[in-house]
Amino acid sequence: MKRPLPSVLGVKLSSDLRTQIAVAAQMQGVSDSAWLRQVALDRLGMESAVDAASGPRPRIPPAELEALAGVVRVIGLLHGSASLGRTDEVMAGLDSIRAVLIPLVVGLNGRAA
């Protein structure tokens, strides 16, 4: 299988420049490499779908991470309830999981990837 970006350029940087690149990339929500590729494309006046394909990394906000962690805990608890045949507890737990997961997943469609 052919890799889309098979070439690597090793560049030595001062710690100050490296830090500034990291900050700029983080502010744009991309990796350092993606940021550098985009700067190079812009500076050279080039367009390259392969090189520009590395866009912003989706980030899960802390509140959503906390909500997802809570859902995982509920799933763990539901296993015990299900094994004991406690249908009402299982259904209530599934309802609470749905109440968290569905809005989060639907919200992913509106995010830039």
Side-chain angles (χ1 to χ4, degrees):
M1 182 172 144
K2 185 178 175 185
R3 296 182 339 191
L5 296 172
S7 181
V8 175
L9 175 65
V11 178
K12 294 186 186 266
L13 305 169
S14 69
S15 60
D16 290 341
L17 179 56
R18 178 70 182 90
T19 299
Q20 291 300 313
I21 290 170
V23 168
Q26 185 177 27
M27 287 175 60
Q28 291 187 9
V30 297
S31 69
D32 299 355
S33 294
W35 187 86
L36 285 169
R37 281 194 307 273
Q38 191 58 54
V39 168
L41 288 169
D42 292 347
R43 178 73 170 90
L44 296 170
M46 292 179 59
E47 290 187 25
S48 168
V50 173
D51 289 300
S54 183
R57 291 178 283 185
R59 299 286 183 192
I60 299 175
E64 290 182 11
L65 278 177
E66 187 176 329
L68 290 170
V71 165
V72 170
R73 283 190 293 278
V74 171
I75 290 170
L77 294 171
L78 288 180
H79 185 271
S81 297
S83 65
L84 296 172
R86 298 180 179 158
T87 308
D88 290 343
E89 288 178 23
V90 172
M91 292 307 295
L94 289 174
D95 286 342
S96 71
I97 291 169
R98 287 182 57 179
V100 171
L101 286 182
I102 290 173
L104 288 178
V105 172
V106 169
L108 292 175
N109 288 333
R111 288 191 188 157

